[in-house]
Amino acid sequence: MALVTESEIVLRYAETDRMGVAYHANYLVWMEVGRTDYLARLGFPYSSLEAAGVMFPTCDASFRLYKPSYYEERLRIETRLEKLRSRKVVFGYRVMRSGELVVSGRTEHICVNAKLRVQKIPVPLFEALGRALDNRK
Amino acid sequence: MALVTESEIVLRYAETDRMGVAYHANYLVWMEVGRTDYLARLGFPYSSLEAAGVMFPTCDASFRLYKPSYYEERLRIETRLEKLRSRKVVFGYRVMRSGELVVSGRTEHICVNAKLRVQKIPVPLFEALGRALDNRK
Amino acid sequence: MALVTESEIVLRYAETDRMGVAYHANYLVWMEVGRTDYLARLGFPYSSLEAAGVMFPTCDASFRLYKPSYYEERLRIETRLEKLRSRKVVFGYRVMRSGELVVSGRTEHICVNAKLRVQKIPVPLFEALGRALDNRK
Amino acid sequence: MALVTESEIVLRYAETDRMGVAYHANYLVWMEVGRTDYLARLGFPYSSLEAAGVMFPTCDASFRLYKPSYYEERLRIETRLEKLRSRKVVFGYRVMRSGELVVSGRTEHICVNAKLRVQKIPVPLFEALGRALDNRK
């Protein structure tokens, strides 16, 4: 089984819209929060990766809404790696509210350098991601 | 052929991230700008629909990035209806920069009332959407 | 001395701009996070206040930047009530990064009902805010 | 009299909150839209300034709300330079809805280089800003 990290957020007023629920674009922001925690947990904080010229723009994404979510609710974001290629990663997410699925999603990221040119994922990171995918110790 | 509406935006500084390009969650905001224009063009401004208890939360969405986009760039959003069901609509989008595809996307919306309960799309709107889908005049 | 509550955030990628730092409009979002925690701490979660028809739109605000802040940084928001009137409150904020002042700010809120008409702050909340201002036990 | 530029926006759904009105942090985004247009009008698009290592982070800002504003409303942002110093500028804004003042605001910007170090405003820009302040031809 793959490694799953958990992140917690409290839904901000700024994230609501006039329907009274979370505005949907924020699901992508929450997934990014999950991804940040996931990479930090692997020992590769994304801010350090970027400083080293390794960036992962989101080139493809999707989500599905199951339940509306509301201001001040505490949500848990589960993040896991779903696919690993030499130049690409795919993450999957589940946003949960006390055991109930609120949003599921998926983001695909291409590895680029500081000039936004495609590059191979550096070996140490690739290996760490590989271990997380298999969750081998 | 289906009706296609065009909306224009200028990429805001607020929409950039530290990679220097548009932050991806904003693609969904731009699609929403396109959808707002599309419905207004049909004679059903979304603010009026909501006032009448007809709302279309985004329950499923996806996008694909083709080119990065930058601050102050002028982008054109093409919006079209892709599917029409009694309780559901699917919109498709193409974000263009001077003839070049930047982002494509798709959003699915369920029709709900003010209490967020699923309802049928009201007849006049359903018929207008049907005409737009076929673009019959 | 007035009650001061502390909230912690980790700076999100979504909150950065192409200058590489936090986009300034987010300071107001962080202050709102602080305000949410402050009211919950007093026993009056803002979501419950709104459900009871007591809302506090931000009618005046200001901030001053002392230091830029970066993606993934852990920031602490200190929130305190600065002024209490029958229909108005003023909050003050200090955003800190390990002992260093990053941003200071101030927001003023008018008390309105569900129809956005000005009203007096309900007595139990007014009294709780009064105690917090004086930090009497 | 100082030069005043006008920008138009249509209030986005993404910009609303669950009170049904524009979320206040967006006033700062709208002011930034006005500032972008102002600098472009002077012949110094901000994207070009940044490319040349001339940046103006917002180090101080304030706003006052006069009227709530709603989804799909068309707003006009009036932008003018209020103060010009060798290393600093202050802009003033009025957000209008068909002749009615909705929000007023003010932002202060320090001139920095690509490494975020304070620098003098380059002479050609300084002179253009000086002319705009006096609105001399």
Side-chain angles (χ1 to χ4, degrees):
Chain A
M1 291 233 326
L3 168 73
V4 178
T5 59
E6 301 196 347
S7 309
E8 200 181 77
I9 60 157
V10 176
L11 210 155
R12 299 174 176 184
Y13 205 88
E15 294 173 336
T16 64
D17 64 23
R18 72 184 208 132
M19 214 180 295
V21 301
Y23 182 72
H24 61 281
N26 293 304
Y27 308 155
L28 288 165
V29 176
W30 303 344
M31 295 180 203
E32 172 235 297
V33 169
R35 211 158 57 240
T36 290
D37 286 347
Y38 187 96
L39 290 170
R41 164 79 172 276
L42 290 195
F44 293 87
Y46 188 57
S47 48
S48 309
L49 288 174
E50 281 203 335
V54 180
M55 307 198 291
F56 288 95
T58 305
C59 55
D60 199 288
S62 63
F63 64 76
R64 171 164 280 277
L65 175 66
Y66 293 86
K67 298 279 178 187
S69 49
Y70 298 90
Y71 169 58
E72 272 200 311
E73 285 187 342
R74 197 168 292 270
L75 303 175
R76 203 181 67 240
I77 305 146
E78 299 175 357
T79 304
R80 80 194 70 202
L81 187 60
E82 291 198 342
K83 199 184 285 188
L84 175 63
R85 295 288 177 270
S86 60
R87 293 169 174 78
K88 200 170 78 176
V89 289
V90 176
F91 284 97
Y93 312 86
R94 285 159 53 90
V95 180
M96 310 294 293
R97 178 183 44 214
S98 42
E100 181 181 57
L101 181 60
V102 169
V103 170
S104 68
R106 186 185 160 284
T107 60
E108 188 178 312
H109 306 266
I110 199 87
C111 185
V112 302
N113 64 19
K115 291 175 174 178
L116 304 186
R117 298 247 177 72
V118 178
Q119 66 177 350
K120 281 198 176 180
I121 299 172
V123 172
L125 174 59
F126 186 85
E127 291 179 350
L129 289 166
R131 282 190 299 273
L133 188 61
D134 301 336
N135 211 16
R136 298 187 310 250
K137 265 302 158 50
Chain B
M1 292 230 328
L3 169 73
V4 178
T5 60
E6 301 196 346
S7 309
E8 199 181 77
I9 59 157
V10 176
L11 210 155
R12 299 174 176 184
Y13 205 88
E15 293 172 337
T16 64
D17 64 23
R18 71 183 208 134
M19 215 180 295
V21 301
Y23 181 71
H24 61 281
N26 293 303
Y27 308 154
L28 288 166
V29 177
W30 303 344
M31 296 180 203
E32 172 234 296
V33 169
R35 211 158 58 239
T36 290
D37 286 347
Y38 187 95
L39 290 170
R41 164 78 171 277
L42 290 195
F44 292 88
Y46 188 58
S47 49
S48 310
L49 288 174
E50 281 203 334
V54 180
M55 307 198 291
F56 288 95
T58 305
C59 54
D60 199 288
S62 62
F63 65 76
R64 171 164 281 277
L65 174 66
Y66 293 86
K67 299 278 177 186
S69 49
Y70 298 90
Y71 169 58
E72 272 199 311
E73 284 187 340
R74 196 169 291 271
L75 303 174
R76 204 180 67 240
I77 305 146
E78 299 175 357
T79 305
R80 81 193 70 204
L81 187 60
E82 292 198 341
K83 199 184 286 189
L84 175 63
R85 295 289 177 268
S86 60
R87 293 169 174 78
K88 199 171 78 175
V89 289
V90 176
F91 285 97
Y93 312 85
R94 286 160 52 90
V95 180
M96 311 293 294
R97 178 183 43 215
S98 43
E100 181 180 57
L101 181 60
V102 169
V103 170
S104 68
R106 186 185 160 285
T107 59
E108 188 178 313
H109 307 267
I110 199 86
C111 186
V112 302
N113 63 19
K115 291 175 174 176
L116 303 186
R117 298 246 178 73
V118 178
Q119 65 177 350
K120 281 197 175 179
I121 299 172
V123 173
L125 173 60
F126 186 84
E127 291 180 349
L129 290 167
R131 282 191 298 274
L133 189 61
D134 300 337
N135 210 15
R136 300 185 309 247
K137 242 317 151 52
Chain C
M1 291 235 326
L3 169 73
V4 178
T5 60
E6 301 197 345
S7 309
E8 200 182 76
I9 60 159
V10 177
L11 209 155
R12 300 174 174 185
Y13 205 88
E15 293 172 337
T16 63
D17 64 24
R18 71 184 208 134
M19 215 181 294
V21 300
Y23 182 71
H24 62 280
N26 293 303
Y27 307 153
L28 287 165
V29 177
W30 302 344
M31 295 180 204
E32 172 234 298
V33 169
R35 211 157 58 239
T36 290
D37 286 347
Y38 188 95
L39 290 170
R41 165 79 172 278
L42 290 195
F44 293 87
Y46 189 57
S47 49
S48 310
L49 288 175
E50 282 204 333
V54 180
M55 306 199 292
F56 288 95
T58 305
C59 54
D60 199 289
S62 62
F63 65 76
R64 171 164 281 277
L65 174 67
Y66 292 87
K67 298 276 177 189
S69 48
Y70 298 90
Y71 170 57
E72 273 199 311
E73 284 186 343
R74 197 168 291 271
L75 302 175
R76 203 179 68 239
I77 305 146
E78 299 176 356
T79 306
R80 80 194 69 202
L81 186 61
E82 291 198 342
K83 200 186 282 191
L84 175 63
R85 294 289 178 268
S86 59
R87 293 168 174 79
K88 201 170 77 174
V89 288
V90 176
F91 284 97
Y93 313 85
R94 286 159 53 91
V95 180
M96 311 293 294
R97 178 181 45 214
S98 42
E100 180 180 59
L101 181 61
V102 169
V103 170
S104 67
R106 188 186 160 282
T107 60
E108 188 177 313
H109 306 267
I110 199 87
C111 185
V112 301
N113 63 19
K115 293 178 172 172
L116 303 187
R117 297 247 178 73
V118 178
Q119 65 178 351
K120 281 197 177 181
I121 300 172
V123 172
L125 173 60
F126 186 84
E127 290 179 349
L129 289 167
R131 283 191 297 274
L133 189 60
D134 300 337
N135 212 15
R136 297 188 310 249
K137 266 299 159 55
Chain D
M1 292 235 324
L3 169 73
V4 177
T5 60
E6 301 196 347
S7 309
E8 200 182 76
I9 60 158
V10 177
L11 209 156
R12 301 174 174 185
Y13 206 87
E15 293 172 337
T16 63
D17 64 24
R18 72 183 207 134
M19 214 181 295
V21 301
Y23 182 72
H24 61 280
N26 293 302
Y27 308 153
L28 287 166
V29 177
W30 302 344
M31 295 180 204
E32 172 233 298
V33 169
R35 211 158 58 238
T36 290
D37 286 347
Y38 187 97
L39 290 170
R41 165 78 172 277
L42 289 196
F44 292 87
Y46 189 58
S47 49
S48 310
L49 288 175
E50 282 203 334
V54 180
M55 305 199 292
F56 288 95
T58 305
C59 54
D60 199 289
S62 62
F63 65 76
R64 170 164 282 276
L65 174 67
Y66 292 87
K67 298 276 177 188
S69 49
Y70 298 90
Y71 170 57
E72 273 200 311
E73 285 187 342
R74 197 168 291 271
L75 302 175
R76 204 180 68 240
I77 305 146
E78 299 176 357
T79 305
R80 81 193 69 202
L81 187 60
E82 291 198 343
K83 201 186 282 191
L84 175 63
R85 295 289 178 266
S86 59
R87 293 168 174 79
K88 199 170 77 174
V89 288
V90 176
F91 284 97
Y93 312 85
R94 285 158 54 90
V95 181
M96 311 293 294
R97 177 181 47 214
S98 42
E100 183 180 57
L101 181 60
V102 169
V103 170
S104 68
R106 187 186 160 284
T107 60
E108 189 177 312
H109 306 266
I110 199 88
C111 186
V112 301
N113 64 18
K115 292 177 174 173
L116 303 186
R117 297 248 178 72
V118 178
Q119 65 177 351
K120 281 197 176 180
I121 299 172
V123 172
L125 173 60
F126 186 84
E127 291 179 348
L129 289 167
R131 282 191 298 272
L133 188 61
D134 300 338
N135 212 16
R136 297 188 311 248
K137 264 299 159 50

